[in-house]
Amino acid sequence: MSSEQDAESIRCLVAKVGLDGHDRGAHVVARAFRDAGFEVIYSGLHKAPEEIVQAAVQEDVDVLGISILSGAHDTLVPKIMDGLAEYGAADDTLVLVGGVIPEEDREGLKEEGVAAIFGPGTSIEETIEFVRENAPQR
Amino acid sequence: MTMDESDESLLEDLLAGEHRALARVISKIENRSPGYRDLVSELYAHTGDADVIGITGSPGAGKSTLVDKLAEEYRDRGETVGVIAIDPSSPFSGGAVLGDRIRMASTVGDMDVFVRSMSARGTLGGLSTATADAVKAMDAFGKDKIIIETVGAGQNEIDIVRTADTVAVLVPPGSGDDIQTLKAGILEIADVFVVNKADRDGADRTVQELREMVHLGEESGLGGGSGGHHGADAMSGGGDDRGDADGDDGDDEATDWTPPIVETVATKGTGVETFIDELANHRTYLVDSGTLAEKVRQRYAEEIRTLLREDVHSLLEDELAESGGIDDLAEAVRLGETDPYSIAGDVLAPVEACIENLETNADSNAE
């Protein structure tokens, strides 16, 4: 049906996980994604990894953006990745991490299955471009 | 109807209770992916067991919080819950921030509460079709209760709610003067009124105004003889015995329904049990009075109409594309060369001719 071809839209979950209580950055990203035409589900603050997994699976998101500033990424991100795998959602969900991630931790996160890490100073256009190019085709 | 292999196994997984399959099917429905119609049509055979509840009301009325508490209470009673939370989408970018999930905190980690956010991305009834189909998916999956939380845009938001068996309208305290309750629209579709944030100033007045409105509605005919009886109860009794009075009435006169008014404080969970009781009362009324059958029939009629309208619409879009596209036609109107009515007639003429042709063929075949 010709008029319905453009009904598809990129779905993202912007997630705050753990004790980190700063979500200004997550709000900015959510708004920018909205303006880029994505559908953004925002998790709210202080979510446990299993809550993020539940939301990502139920909402069937193409992209999961995890924002972490607390430094707990090495414990929290693997838990989320394991949870996604449990529901068979790890392979076709593009997982991004944003926040303060030290250089030496980045390789480990990528091995966990994180597709990209956006540190402080990343332009929002760059992030949107990355999502557009890498969001899974289903 | 035939499905391809991947859809076939998707359907099997959904019926087997796999959450990811349910999520996928809803995405297909939302995206109108190829084959989604066959998938939905297969779902129908497995539906009909869920209670569908619509929750509507103005932005900030506390819909999400109440839905959260409602889901929690249903879970405590051992029932599984599906929630469809609808949020607005941008008219400019088409994007959306779907934030209702944030309030759904009580049931976190419990996969038997399946919350799905939908944006109002469709046009021309697209959202209500997608919502109704998503309800089918959750029903077939085996959810006992399905709650649709509407976008909360305003007074005329009645379309989506037609998908629900029971409609609760949230009215926050101080939501306008008593003329608001006289207006047509959202208040007319309520099966249950909820004055949420009942601990706030003005809640009593809001309850009183709603009560007068319900009372007036009965006097004006629908309620018939029983109207005065209900009214008397409503005027003298407080919010609490109201529920009881209504429950009693439900037993001996199953022919009409008087929307009860429930007071809740969703953030604290106050009044949620009463609310659930009233939802159950309405369900009982629907079944006993035979209204449910009528409702379901009307709903299917509407679904058939909507589908046909969509199909005809896309046929016409193709037709428009053939005649040079809508932009040229609009430009011609702007330049004063023609007008929309003439164009509509011209575009439709071959279609009409076709249909007439079909009819004559059918007639001659019949003879």
Side-chain angles (χ1 to χ4, degrees):
Chain A
M1 305 274 159
S2 56
S3 61
E4 293 171 359
Q5 285 303 317
D6 52 0
E8 195 153 350
S9 135
I10 296 177
R11 280 170 78 85
C12 313
L13 173 63
V14 173
K16 287 298 298 186
V17 62
L19 298 175
D20 160 22
H22 298 273
D23 62 352
R24 168 109 191 124
H27 286 185
V28 170
V29 169
R31 167 69 194 261
F33 278 8
R34 185 200 84 183
D35 290 344
F38 304 167
E39 285 182 358
V40 188
I41 294 121
Y42 177 55
S43 72
L45 279 172
H46 305 307
K47 299 300 172 192
E50 47 276 24
E51 297 176 45
I52 302 301
V53 169
Q54 183 183 10
V57 170
Q58 294 184 345
E59 300 289 359
D60 192 24
V61 291
D62 308 292
V63 182
L64 167 59
I66 308 167
S67 156
I68 304 189
L69 302 168
S70 66
H73 45 268
D74 277 347
T75 27
L76 296 171
V77 171
K79 280 186 187 164
I80 293 175
M81 297 309 298
D82 289 350
L84 289 178
E86 194 185 316
Y87 287 101
D91 289 342
D92 55 4
T93 305
L94 183 73
V95 180
L96 312 174
V97 172
V100 188
I101 311 293
E103 200 57 52
E104 63 266 28
D105 292 347
R106 296 188 172 211
E107 203 46 48
L109 289 179
K110 294 213 164 156
E111 276 164 25
E112 286 288 339
V114 173
I117 295 158
F118 298 108
T122 313
S123 82
I124 198 78
E125 288 77 20
E126 194 185 318
T127 316
I128 289 169
E129 204 46 48
F130 187 86
V131 169
R132 284 222 172 96
E133 277 168 18
N134 295 285
Q137 296 290 321
R138 290 172 172 175
Chain B
M1 292 269 177
T2 46
M3 287 191 295
D4 69 25
E5 245 169 66
S6 70
D7 283 356
E8 196 111 25
S9 72
L10 195 58
L11 178 69
E12 264 172 40
D13 290 348
L14 179 144
L15 295 175
E18 271 187 38
H19 290 95
R20 183 142 178 86
L22 174 56
R24 269 290 148 81
V25 169
I26 296 177
S27 297
K28 279 188 158 263
I29 287 167
E30 275 198 294
N31 294 337
R32 285 134 192 265
S33 310
Y36 94 96
R37 284 189 165 203
D38 298 340
L39 200 52
V40 177
S41 82
E42 288 293 327
L43 289 174
Y44 275 82
H46 307 275
T47 59
D49 296 326
D51 291 353
V52 187
I53 298 155
I55 308 266
T56 185
S58 51
K63 293 184 294 294
S64 305
T65 313
L66 189 66
V67 167
D68 179 47
K69 291 294 190 290
L70 204 55
E72 187 184 20
E73 181 66 29
Y74 278 132
R75 288 298 294 137
D76 284 349
R77 297 177 182 205
E79 295 186 281
T80 59
V81 181
V83 177
I84 298 169
I86 300 158
D87 267 319
S89 58
S90 161
F92 305 111
S93 70
V97 171
L98 311 171
D100 288 337
R101 209 185 166 94
I102 300 175
R103 258 82 65 173
M104 315 268 177
S106 304
T107 51
V108 140
D110 177 3
M111 265 291 190
D112 284 328
V113 178
F114 192 103
V115 182
R116 181 60 179 239
S117 311
M118 285 177 111
S119 90
R121 61 170 102 150
T123 50
L124 267 180
L127 177 60
S128 40
T129 316
T131 311
D133 289 345
V135 167
K136 293 281 175 317
M138 287 186 169
D139 191 348
F141 183 84
K143 293 294 180 197
D144 300 314
K145 307 285 176 187
I146 297 166
I147 306 170
I148 306 168
E149 182 197 329
T150 73
V151 73
Q155 291 168 314
N156 211 22
E157 199 195 31
I158 50 180
D159 212 32
I160 294 154
V161 171
R162 293 214 176 97
T163 306
D165 303 324
T166 299
V167 175
V169 176
L170 267 66
V171 188
S175 44
D177 59 21
D178 51 3
I179 294 303
Q180 294 296 343
T181 63
L182 297 179
K183 287 186 184 172
I186 196 167
L187 292 178
E188 285 180 285
I189 58 167
D191 298 310
V192 178
F193 285 107
V194 182
V195 177
N196 191 32
K197 310 190 181 182
D199 54 348
R200 291 213 181 159
D201 287 349
D204 292 347
R205 211 184 116 222
T206 302
V207 170
Q208 191 58 34
E209 279 164 6
L210 284 174
R211 205 164 274 165
E212 278 165 24
M213 184 196 72
V214 171
H215 180 55
L216 268 175
E218 288 187 329
E219 299 237 303
S220 65
L222 279 172
S226 64
H229 175 51
H230 279 287
D233 272 355
M235 299 306 278
S236 59
D240 288 341
D241 32 340
R242 173 80 192 153
D244 293 337
D246 226 89
D248 292 342
D249 289 350
D251 291 335
D252 41 57
E253 10 171 296
T255 44
D256 64 336
W257 173 257
T258 306
I261 301 158
V262 185
E263 293 179 61
T264 59
V265 184
T267 47
K268 296 179 190 154
T270 314
V272 173
E273 287 194 29
T274 317
F275 179 34
I276 284 195
D277 291 346
E278 291 296 358
L279 292 174
N281 286 344
H282 184 252
R283 178 81 195 176
T284 312
Y285 154 79
L286 283 179
V287 174
D288 291 354
S289 64
T291 315
L292 187 61
E294 175 63 21
K295 244 185 163 159
V296 170
R297 194 158 49 231
Q298 279 176 6
R299 196 180 303 152
Y300 287 148
E302 201 49 49
E303 281 180 23
I304 295 166
R305 282 212 183 89
T306 308
L307 279 177
L308 287 173
R309 214 177 293 135
E310 278 182 16
D311 288 356
V312 171
H313 177 74
S314 63
L315 279 178
L316 286 176
E317 285 288 327
D318 294 347
E319 194 66 28
L320 272 176
E322 298 229 331
S323 41
I326 190 94
D327 289 341
D328 288 354
L329 295 171
E331 180 64 7
V333 175
R334 192 185 72 86
L335 295 173
E337 290 164 7
T338 179
D339 64 284
Y341 290 89
S342 309
I343 292 173
D346 291 349
V347 171
L348 219 53
V351 180
E352 275 173 1
C354 251
I355 290 174
E356 270 169 34
N357 214 358
L358 274 179
E359 277 166 3
T360 36
N361 279 344
D363 284 349
S364 53
N365 285 344
E367 277 161 25

